[in-house]
Coordinates of all heavy atoms in Angstrom, one line a residue:
G628 N 95.8 137.3 94.8 CA 94.4 136.9 94.8 C 93.7 137.3 93.6 O 92.6 136.8 93.3
R629 N 94.2 138.3 92.8 CA 93.6 138.8 91.6 C 94.0 137.9 90.3 O 93.4 138.1 89.3 CB 93.9 140.2 91.3 CG 93.2 141.2 92.3 CD 93.7 142.6 92.0 NE 92.9 143.5 92.8 CZ 92.2 144.5 92.3 NH1 92.2 144.7 91.0 NH2 91.5 145.3 93.1
L630 N 94.9 137.0 90.5 CA 95.3 136.2 89.4 C 94.3 135.1 89.1 O 93.7 134.6 90.0 CB 96.7 135.6 89.6 CG 97.9 136.6 89.8 CD1 99.2 135.8 90.0 CD2 98.0 137.5 88.6
I631 N 94.1 134.8 87.8 CA 93.0 133.8 87.5 C 93.5 133.1 86.2 O 94.3 133.6 85.4 CB 91.7 134.5 87.2 CG1 90.6 133.5 87.0 CG2 91.7 135.5 86.0 CD1 89.2 134.1 87.0
D632 N 93.2 131.8 86.1 CA 93.6 131.0 85.0 C 92.8 131.4 83.7 O 91.6 131.5 83.7 CB 93.3 129.5 85.3 CG 94.2 129.0 86.4 OD1 95.3 129.5 86.6 OD2 93.8 128.0 87.1
V633 N 93.6 131.5 82.7 CA 93.0 131.8 81.3 C 93.7 130.9 80.3 O 94.8 130.4 80.6 CB 93.2 133.3 80.9 CG1 92.3 134.2 81.8 CG2 94.6 133.7 80.9
E634 N 93.1 130.6 79.2 CA 93.7 129.8 78.2 C 93.2 130.1 76.8 O 92.1 130.7 76.6 CB 93.4 128.3 78.5 CG 91.9 127.9 78.5 CD 91.7 126.5 78.8 OE1 92.5 125.6 78.2 OE2 90.8 126.1 79.5
W635 N 94.1 129.8 75.8 CA 93.7 130.0 74.4 C 92.7 128.9 74.0 O 93.0 127.8 74.3 CB 94.9 130.0 73.5 CG 96.0 130.9 73.8 CD1 97.2 130.7 74.4 CD2 96.0 132.4 73.6 NE1 97.9 131.8 74.5 CE2 97.2 132.9 74.0 CE3 95.1 133.2 73.0 CZ2 97.6 134.2 73.9 CZ3 95.4 134.6 72.9 CH2 96.6 135.1 73.3
V636 N 91.6 129.3 73.5 CA 90.6 128.3 73.1 C 90.3 128.3 71.6 O 89.8 127.4 71.0 CB 89.3 128.4 73.9 CG1 89.5 128.1 75.3 CG2 88.7 129.8 73.7
K637 N 90.6 129.5 71.0 CA 90.2 129.6 69.5 C 91.1 130.6 68.9 O 91.2 131.8 69.3 CB 88.8 130.0 69.4 CG 88.3 130.0 67.9 CD 86.8 130.4 67.9 CE 86.3 130.5 66.4 NZ 85.0 131.0 66.3
F638 N 91.9 130.2 67.9 CA 92.7 131.1 67.1 C 91.9 131.7 66.0 O 91.6 131.1 65.0 CB 93.9 130.4 66.5 CG 94.9 129.9 67.6 CD1 95.8 129.0 67.3 CD2 94.8 130.3 68.9 CE1 96.7 128.5 68.2 CE2 95.7 129.9 69.9 CZ 96.6 128.9 69.5
T639 N 91.5 133.0 66.2 CA 90.7 133.6 65.2 C 91.6 134.3 64.2 O 92.8 134.1 64.2 CB 89.8 134.7 65.9 OG1 90.7 135.7 66.4 CG2 89.0 134.2 67.1
N640 N 90.9 135.0 63.3 CA 91.7 135.8 62.3 C 92.2 137.1 62.8 O 92.6 138.0 62.1 CB 90.9 136.0 61.0 CG 90.7 134.7 60.2 OD1 91.6 133.9 60.2 ND2 89.5 134.5 59.7
A641 N 92.0 137.3 64.1 CA 92.4 138.6 64.7 C 93.9 138.8 64.7 O 94.7 137.8 64.7 CB 91.9 138.7 66.2
N642 N 94.4 140.0 64.6 CA 95.8 140.3 64.7 C 96.2 140.8 66.1 O 95.4 141.5 66.7 CB 96.1 141.5 63.7 CG 95.9 141.0 62.3 OD1 96.4 139.9 61.9 ND2 95.2 141.8 61.4
F643 N 97.3 140.3 66.6 CA 97.8 140.6 67.9 C 99.1 141.4 67.8 O 100.0 141.1 67.0 CB 98.1 139.3 68.7 CG 96.9 138.5 68.9 CD1 96.3 137.7 67.9 CD2 96.3 138.5 70.2 CE1 95.2 136.9 68.2 CE2 95.2 137.7 70.5 CZ 94.6 136.9 69.5
N644 N 99.1 142.5 68.6 CA 100.3 143.4 68.6 C 101.4 142.8 69.4 O 101.2 142.2 70.4 CB 99.9 144.8 69.2 CG 98.9 145.5 68.3 OD1 98.6 145.1 67.2 ND2 98.5 146.6 68.9
T645 N 102.6 142.9 68.9 CA 103.8 142.5 69.6 C 105.0 143.4 69.2 O 104.9 144.0 68.1 CB 104.1 141.0 69.5 OG1 105.1 140.6 70.4 CG2 104.6 140.7 68.1
E646 N 106.0 143.4 70.0 CA 107.2 144.2 69.6 C 108.5 143.3 69.6 O 108.6 142.4 70.4 CB 107.4 145.3 70.7 CG 106.5 146.4 70.5 CD 106.9 147.6 71.5 OE1 108.0 147.5 72.1 OE2 106.1 148.5 71.7
I647 N 109.4 143.6 68.6 CA 110.7 142.9 68.6 C 111.7 144.0 68.6 O 111.5 145.1 68.1 CB 110.8 142.0 67.4 CG1 110.6 142.7 66.1 CG2 110.0 140.8 67.6 CD1 110.9 141.9 64.9
N648 N 112.9 143.7 69.2 CA 114.0 144.6 69.3 C 115.2 143.9 68.6 O 115.5 142.8 68.8 CB 114.4 144.9 70.7 CG 113.4 145.9 71.3 OD1 113.4 147.1 71.1 ND2 112.5 145.3 72.1
I649 N 115.8 144.7 67.7 CA 116.9 144.1 66.9 C 118.2 145.0 67.1 O 118.2 146.2 67.1 CB 116.6 144.2 65.4 CG1 115.3 143.3 65.1 CG2 117.8 143.7 64.5 CD1 114.8 143.4 63.7
K650 N 119.3 144.3 67.3 CA 120.6 144.9 67.3 C 121.3 144.4 66.1 O 121.4 143.2 65.8 CB 121.4 144.5 68.6 CG 122.8 145.2 68.6 CD 123.6 144.7 69.9 CE 125.0 145.3 69.9 NZ 125.8 144.9 71.0
A651 N 121.9 145.4 65.3 CA 122.5 145.0 64.1 C 123.7 145.9 63.8 O 123.9 147.0 64.4 CB 121.5 145.1 62.9
K652 N 124.6 145.5 62.9 CA 125.7 146.3 62.4 C 125.0 147.4 61.5 O 124.3 147.0 60.5 CB 126.7 145.5 61.7 CG 127.5 144.5 62.5 CD 128.4 143.7 61.7 CE 129.1 142.6 62.5 NZ 129.9 141.7 61.7
D653 N 125.3 148.7 61.7 CA 124.7 149.7 60.9 C 125.3 149.7 59.5 O 126.5 149.5 59.4 CB 124.9 151.1 61.6 CG 124.1 152.2 61.0 OD1 123.1 151.8 60.2 OD2 124.4 153.3 61.2
G654 N 124.5 149.9 58.5 CA 125.0 149.9 57.2 C 123.9 150.2 56.2 O 122.7 150.1 56.5
R655 N 124.3 150.6 55.0 CA 123.3 150.9 53.9 C 122.6 149.7 53.6 O 123.1 148.6 53.4 CB 124.1 151.5 52.7 CG 123.2 151.9 51.6 CD 123.9 152.6 50.5 NE 124.5 153.9 50.9 CZ 125.3 154.6 50.2 NH1 125.6 154.2 49.0 NH2 125.8 155.7 50.7
G656 N 121.3 149.8 53.5 CA 120.4 148.7 53.0 C 119.8 147.9 54.2 O 119.0 147.0 53.9
L657 N 120.3 148.1 55.4 CA 119.8 147.3 56.5 C 118.3 147.4 56.7 O 117.6 146.4 56.8 CB 120.5 147.8 57.8 CG 119.9 147.2 59.1 CD1 120.1 145.7 59.2 CD2 120.5 147.8 60.4
L658 N 117.8 148.7 56.7 CA 116.3 148.9 56.9 C 115.5 148.3 55.8 O 114.5 147.7 56.0 CB 116.1 150.4 57.0 CG 114.8 150.8 57.7 CD1 114.7 150.2 59.1 CD2 114.7 152.3 57.8
T659 N 116.1 148.4 54.6 CA 115.4 147.8 53.4 C 115.2 146.3 53.5 O 114.2 145.7 53.3 CB 116.1 148.1 52.1 OG1 116.2 149.5 52.0 CG2 115.4 147.6 50.9
K660 N 116.3 145.6 54.0 CA 116.3 144.2 54.1 C 115.3 143.8 55.2 O 114.6 142.8 55.0 CB 117.7 143.7 54.5 CG 118.8 143.8 53.4 CD 120.1 143.3 53.9 CE 121.2 143.5 52.9 NZ 122.5 143.2 53.4
V661 N 115.3 144.5 56.3 CA 114.3 144.2 57.4 C 112.9 144.4 56.9 O 112.0 143.5 57.1 CB 114.6 145.1 58.6 CG1 113.5 144.9 59.7 CG2 115.9 144.7 59.2
T662 N 112.6 145.5 56.3 CA 111.2 145.7 55.9 C 110.8 144.8 54.8 O 109.6 144.4 54.7 CB 111.0 147.2 55.4 OG1 112.0 147.5 54.4 CG2 111.1 148.2 56.6
N663 N 111.7 144.4 53.9 CA 111.4 143.5 52.8 C 111.0 142.1 53.4 O 110.1 141.4 52.9 CB 112.6 143.3 51.8 CG 112.6 144.5 50.9 OD1 111.7 145.3 50.8 ND2 113.8 144.6 50.2
T664 N 111.8 141.7 54.5 CA 111.5 140.4 55.1 C 110.1 140.4 55.7 O 109.4 139.4 55.6 CB 112.6 140.1 56.2 OG1 113.9 140.1 55.6 CG2 112.4 138.8 56.8
L665 N 109.8 141.5 56.4 CA 108.5 141.7 57.0 C 107.4 141.6 55.9 O 106.3 140.9 56.1 CB 108.4 143.0 57.8 CG 109.2 143.1 59.1 CD1 109.3 144.5 59.5 CD2 108.6 142.2 60.2
S666 N 107.6 142.2 54.8 CA 106.7 142.2 53.7 C 106.5 140.9 53.1 O 105.4 140.4 52.8 CB 107.1 143.2 52.6 OG 106.3 143.2 51.5
D667 N 107.6 140.1 52.9 CA 107.6 138.8 52.4 C 106.8 137.8 53.3 O 106.1 136.9 52.8 CB 109.0 138.2 52.2 CG 109.8 138.9 51.1 OD1 109.2 139.6 50.3 OD2 111.0 138.8 51.1
Q668 N 106.8 138.1 54.6 CA 106.0 137.3 55.5 C 104.6 137.8 55.7 O 103.9 137.3 56.6 CB 106.8 137.2 56.9 CG 108.1 136.5 56.8 CD 108.1 135.1 56.3 OE1 108.7 134.9 55.2 NE2 107.4 134.2 56.9
N669 N 104.2 138.8 55.0 CA 102.9 139.4 55.1 C 102.6 139.9 56.5 O 101.5 139.8 57.1 CB 101.8 138.4 54.8 CG 101.8 138.1 53.3 OD1 102.0 139.0 52.4 ND2 101.7 136.8 53.0
I670 N 103.6 140.5 57.2 CA 103.5 141.1 58.5 C 103.3 142.6 58.4 O 104.0 143.3 57.7 CB 104.8 140.8 59.3 CG1 105.1 139.3 59.4 CG2 104.7 141.5 60.7 CD1 104.1 138.6 60.2
S671 N 102.2 143.1 59.1 CA 101.9 144.5 59.1 C 102.8 145.2 60.2 O 102.8 144.8 61.3 CB 100.4 144.7 59.4 OG 99.7 144.1 58.4
I672 N 103.3 146.4 59.8 CA 104.1 147.2 60.7 C 103.3 148.3 61.3 O 102.6 149.0 60.5 CB 105.4 147.8 60.0 CG1 106.2 146.7 59.4 CG2 106.2 148.6 61.0 CD1 107.4 147.2 58.5
I673 N 103.2 148.3 62.6 CA 102.5 149.4 63.3 C 103.4 150.6 63.5 O 103.0 151.8 63.2 CB 101.9 148.9 64.6 CG1 101.0 147.8 64.4 CG2 101.2 150.1 65.4 CD1 100.6 147.1 65.7
S674 N 104.6 150.4 64.0 CA 105.6 151.5 64.1 C 107.0 150.9 64.0 O 107.2 149.7 64.3 CB 105.4 152.2 65.4 OG 105.7 151.3 66.5
L675 N 107.9 151.7 63.6 CA 109.3 151.3 63.5 C 110.2 152.5 64.0 O 110.1 153.5 63.4 CB 109.6 150.8 62.1 CG 111.0 150.1 61.9 CD1 110.9 149.2 60.6 CD2 112.1 151.1 61.7
N676 N 111.1 152.2 65.0 CA 112.0 153.3 65.4 C 113.4 152.7 65.3 O 113.7 151.6 65.7 CB 111.7 153.6 66.9 CG 110.4 154.3 67.1 OD1 110.1 155.3 66.4 ND2 109.5 153.7 67.9
V677 N 114.3 153.6 64.9 CA 115.7 153.2 64.7 C 116.6 154.2 65.4 O 116.4 155.4 65.3 CB 116.1 153.2 63.2 CG1 117.5 152.7 63.0 CG2 115.2 152.3 62.4
K678 N 117.6 153.7 66.1 CA 118.6 154.5 66.8 C 120.0 153.9 66.4 O 120.1 152.7 66.3 CB 118.5 154.5 68.3 CG 117.2 155.3 68.8 CD 117.2 155.3 70.3 CE 115.9 156.1 70.8 NZ 115.9 156.1 72.2
T679 N 121.0 154.8 66.3 CA 122.4 154.3 66.0 C 123.3 154.9 67.1 O 123.0 155.9 67.7 CB 122.9 154.7 64.6 OG1 122.8 156.1 64.6 CG2 122.0 154.1 63.5
D680 N 124.4 154.2 67.3 CA 125.4 154.7 68.3 C 126.7 155.0 67.6 O 126.9 154.7 66.4 CB 125.6 153.8 69.5 CG 126.1 152.4 69.1 OD1 126.7 152.3 67.9 OD2 126.0 151.5 69.9
T681 N 127.7 155.5 68.3 CA 129.0 155.9 67.7 C 129.9 154.7 67.4 O 130.9 154.8 66.8 CB 129.7 156.8 68.7 OG1 129.8 156.1 70.0 CG2 129.0 158.1 68.9
Q682 N 129.5 153.5 67.9 CA 130.3 152.3 67.7 C 129.8 151.5 66.4 O 130.3 150.4 66.2 CB 130.2 151.4 68.9 CG 130.8 152.0 70.1 CD 130.7 151.2 71.4 OE1 129.7 150.4 71.5 NE2 131.6 151.3 72.3
G683 N 128.9 152.1 65.7 CA 128.5 151.4 64.4 C 127.4 150.4 64.6 O 127.2 149.6 63.7
F684 N 126.6 150.5 65.7 CA 125.5 149.6 65.9 C 124.2 150.3 65.7 O 124.1 151.5 66.0 CB 125.5 148.9 67.3 CG 126.7 148.0 67.5 CD1 127.6 148.4 68.4 CD2 126.9 146.9 66.7 CE1 128.7 147.5 68.7 CE2 127.9 146.0 67.0 CZ 128.9 146.4 67.9
A685 N 123.2 149.6 65.1 CA 121.8 150.1 64.9 C 120.9 149.3 65.8 O 121.0 148.1 66.0 CB 121.4 150.0 63.5
Y686 N 119.9 150.0 66.5 CA 118.9 149.4 67.3 C 117.5 149.7 66.8 O 117.1 150.8 66.7 CB 119.1 149.9 68.8 CG 120.5 149.7 69.3 CD1 121.5 150.6 69.1 CD2 120.8 148.5 70.0 CE1 122.8 150.4 69.7 CE2 122.0 148.3 70.6 CZ 123.0 149.2 70.4 OH 124.3 149.0 70.9
L687 N 116.8 148.6 66.4 CA 115.5 148.8 65.8 C 114.4 148.3 66.8 O 114.6 147.2 67.3 CB 115.4 148.0 64.5 CG 116.1 148.5 63.3 CD1 117.6 148.2 63.4 CD2 115.6 147.8 62.0
N688 N 113.4 149.1 67.1 CA 112.3 148.7 67.8 C 111.1 148.7 66.9 O 110.7 149.7 66.3 CB 112.0 149.6 69.0 CG 110.7 149.3 69.7 OD1 109.7 149.8 69.4 ND2 110.8 148.4 70.7
I689 N 110.5 147.5 66.6 CA 109.5 147.3 65.6 C 108.2 146.8 66.3 O 108.2 145.7 66.9 CB 109.9 146.4 64.5 CG1 111.3 146.8 64.0 CG2 108.9 146.4 63.3 CD1 111.8 145.8 62.9
S690 N 107.1 147.5 66.1 CA 105.8 147.0 66.6 C 105.1 146.5 65.4 O 104.9 147.1 64.4 CB 105.0 148.2 67.2 OG 103.8 147.8 67.7
I691 N 104.6 145.2 65.5 CA 104.0 144.5 64.4 C 102.7 143.8 64.8 O 102.4 143.7 66.0 CB 105.0 143.5 63.8 CG1 105.4 142.5 64.9 CG2 106.2 144.1 63.1 CD1 106.3 141.4 64.4
E692 N 102.0 143.3 63.8 CA 100.8 142.5 64.1 C 101.0 141.1 63.6 O 101.5 140.9 62.4 CB 99.6 143.1 63.3 CG 99.1 144.4 63.9 CD 97.8 144.9 63.2 OE1 97.6 144.4 62.1 OE2 97.1 145.7 63.8
V693 N 100.8 140.1 64.4 CA 100.9 138.7 64.1 C 99.6 137.9 64.6 O 98.9 138.4 65.4 CB 102.2 138.0 64.7 CG1 103.4 138.6 64.1 CG2 102.2 138.1 66.2
K694 N 99.5 136.7 64.1 CA 98.3 135.9 64.5 C 98.7 134.9 65.6 O 97.9 134.5 66.4 CB 97.7 135.2 63.3 CG 96.9 136.2 62.4 CD 96.3 135.5 61.2 CE 95.3 136.4 60.5 NZ 95.9 137.6 60.0
T695 N 99.9 134.3 65.5 CA 100.3 133.3 66.5 C 101.8 133.4 66.8 O 102.6 134.1 66.1 CB 100.1 131.9 65.9 OG1 100.9 131.7 64.8 CG2 98.7 131.6 65.6
V696 N 102.2 132.8 67.9 CA 103.7 132.7 68.3 C 104.5 132.0 67.2 O 105.6 132.4 66.9 CB 103.8 132.0 69.6 CG1 105.3 131.6 69.8 CG2 103.4 132.9 70.8
K697 N 103.9 131.0 66.5 CA 104.6 130.3 65.5 C 104.9 131.2 64.3 O 106.0 131.2 63.8 CB 103.7 129.1 65.0 CG 104.4 128.2 64.0 CD 103.6 127.1 63.5 CE 104.3 126.2 62.5 NZ 103.5 125.0 62.1
E698 N 103.9 132.1 64.0 CA 104.2 133.1 62.9 C 105.3 134.0 63.3 O 106.2 134.3 62.5 CB 102.9 133.9 62.6 CG 103.0 134.8 61.4 CD 101.7 135.5 61.2 OE1 100.9 135.8 62.1 OE2 101.4 135.8 60.0
L699 N 105.3 134.4 64.6 CA 106.4 135.3 65.1 C 107.8 134.6 65.0 O 108.8 135.2 64.6 CB 106.1 135.7 66.5 CG 107.1 136.7 67.2 CD1 107.3 138.0 66.4 CD2 106.7 137.0 68.6
S700 N 107.8 133.3 65.4 CA 109.0 132.5 65.4 C 109.6 132.4 64.0 O 110.8 132.5 63.8 CB 108.8 131.1 66.0 OG 108.4 131.2 67.4
I701 N 108.7 132.1 63.1 CA 109.2 132.0 61.7 C 109.8 133.3 61.2 O 110.8 133.3 60.5 CB 108.0 131.6 60.8 CG1 107.6 130.1 61.1 CG2 108.4 131.7 59.3 CD1 106.3 129.7 60.4
L702 N 109.1 134.4 61.6 CA 109.6 135.7 61.2 C 111.0 136.0 61.8 O 111.9 136.4 61.1 CB 108.7 136.8 61.7 CG 109.2 138.3 61.5 CD1 109.4 138.6 60.0 CD2 108.3 139.3 62.2
I703 N 111.2 135.7 63.1 CA 112.5 135.9 63.7 C 113.6 135.0 63.0 O 114.7 135.5 62.8 CB 112.4 135.6 65.2 CG1 111.6 136.7 65.9 CG2 113.8 135.5 65.9 CD1 111.2 136.4 67.4
K704 N 113.2 133.8 62.7 CA 114.2 132.9 61.9 C 114.6 133.6 60.6 O 115.8 133.6 60.3 CB 113.6 131.6 61.7 CG 113.5 130.6 62.9 CD 112.9 129.3 62.5 CE 112.7 128.4 63.7 NZ 112.0 127.2 63.3
K705 N 113.6 134.1 59.9 CA 113.9 134.8 58.6 C 114.8 136.0 58.8 O 115.8 136.2 58.1 CB 112.6 135.2 57.9 CG 111.7 134.0 57.6 CD 112.2 133.2 56.4 CE 111.2 132.1 56.0 NZ 111.7 131.2 55.0

Side-chain angles (χ1 to χ4, degrees):
R629 288 176 171 236
L630 298 183
I631 189 168
D632 292 335
V633 292
E634 60 179 318
W635 302 106
V636 292
K637 184 179 180 183
F638 294 165
T639 66
N640 289 322
N642 293 313
F643 294 78
N644 293 351
T645 192
E646 283 185 13
I647 55 174
N648 288 280
I649 299 174
K650 180 182 178 181
K652 294 176 185 175
D653 192 17
R655 183 173 295 177
L657 170 65
L658 203 55
T659 303
K660 291 177 184 177
V661 171
T662 53
N663 284 346
T664 302
L665 290 165
S666 177
D667 291 343
Q668 297 301 119
N669 294 318
I670 302 293
S671 299
I672 301 174
I673 300 170
S674 67
L675 190 155
N676 295 303
V677 184
K678 290 182 181 179
T679 58
D680 61 18
T681 55
Q682 297 177 328
F684 294 116
Y686 301 88
L687 288 72
N688 173 269
I689 312 174
S690 181
I691 56 176
E692 290 185 340
V693 295
K694 288 183 168 59
T695 63
V696 164
K697 185 177 181 181
E698 187 177 32
L699 180 61
S700 298
I701 292 170
L702 171 65
I703 290 174
K704 284 182 189 176
K705 299 287 185 185

